Amino acid sequence: MVDIDIDRLEENDIKLLSKWMSDLPLMKRYEWTELCIGRSLREAFHNDNLLLRANSYGSDIPCGLAWIVPKGSFNRSPYLRLLVVHPKFTSKGVGRLLMLQAESQVRIDYRDLFILVSDFNVDAQSFYMQMGYLKIGEITDYVLPGVSELIYRKSF
């Protein structure tokens, strides 16, 4: 585990995040370019989505992001749109810290948190199950042809 601070994303973090996020295999598979990521994060920032950044002490580049759309699930419950960790910080507890912080903020006003996970992303599926999420459904060919998005839910 590394020394990590979790707080709200600042607008000047978006360019730094977009740069390294666009190189992630998952982003490439979904064709999220640096420009697309930056545009989406700016829109989320200005629409008061919950954007949490992970910062490693001594670095000025965020090493992780949790993006929650407040009523992104059925216009009723929050939806975790994205959880990403810089490759240098994977398996060091950063994703877990981001999730715990996100859940602590979400549970103040809501009873559930929903997530979509690609069927091929078995590491993410395992991570969310370890965090107490239950697979409750599947949507085939929703975002990409031939890929199912698995629906996970955690009730507080």
Side-chain angles (χ1 to χ4, degrees), residues 42-95:
R42 270 190 277 302
E43 181 179 320
F45 183 85
H46 291 290
N47 286 332
D48 293 324
N49 286 194
L50 177 59
L51 296 162
L52 298 174
R53 67 179 177 183
N55 289 310
S56 172
Y57 292 113
S59 175
D60 57 352
I61 299 174
C63 63
L65 171 76
W67 173 2
I68 294 104
V69 181
K71 288 191 176 183
S73 298
F74 317 110
N75 201 31
R76 173 187 169 108
S77 301
Y79 164 61
L80 178 72
R81 175 129 191 232
L82 191 61
L83 177 73
V84 292
V85 175
H86 190 285
K88 290 181 182 177
F89 291 88
T90 56
S91 300
K92 295 185 180 182
V94 176

Side-chain angles (χ1 to χ4, degrees), residues 58-127:
S59 175
D60 57 352
I61 299 174
C63 63
L65 171 76
W67 173 2
I68 294 104
V69 181
K71 288 191 176 183
S73 298
F74 317 110
N75 201 31
R76 173 187 169 108
S77 301
Y79 164 61
L80 178 72
R81 175 129 191 232
L82 191 61
L83 177 73
V84 292
V85 175
H86 190 285
K88 290 181 182 177
F89 291 88
T90 56
S91 300
K92 295 185 180 182
V94 176
R96 183 173 168 25
L97 290 172
L98 277 165
M99 283 303 297
L100 291 172
Q101 182 64 32
E103 290 174 0
S104 73
Q105 292 192 30
V106 162
R107 70 179 349 137
I108 294 169
D109 296 314
Y110 300 97
R111 296 180 356 171
D112 302 285
L113 180 59
F114 289 84
I115 303 167
L116 291 181
V117 181
S118 306
D119 61 359
F120 60 83
N121 197 345
V122 293
D123 290 340
Q125 294 169 43
S126 175
F127 171 76

Side-chain angles (χ1 to χ4, degrees), residues 21-22 24-32 37 82 84:
M21 285 173 57
S22 65
L24 297 174
L26 184 68
M27 297 296 149
K28 290 185 180 299
R29 183 147 186 191
Y30 281 90
E31 298 179 355
W32 276 50
I37 293 166
L82 191 61
V84 292

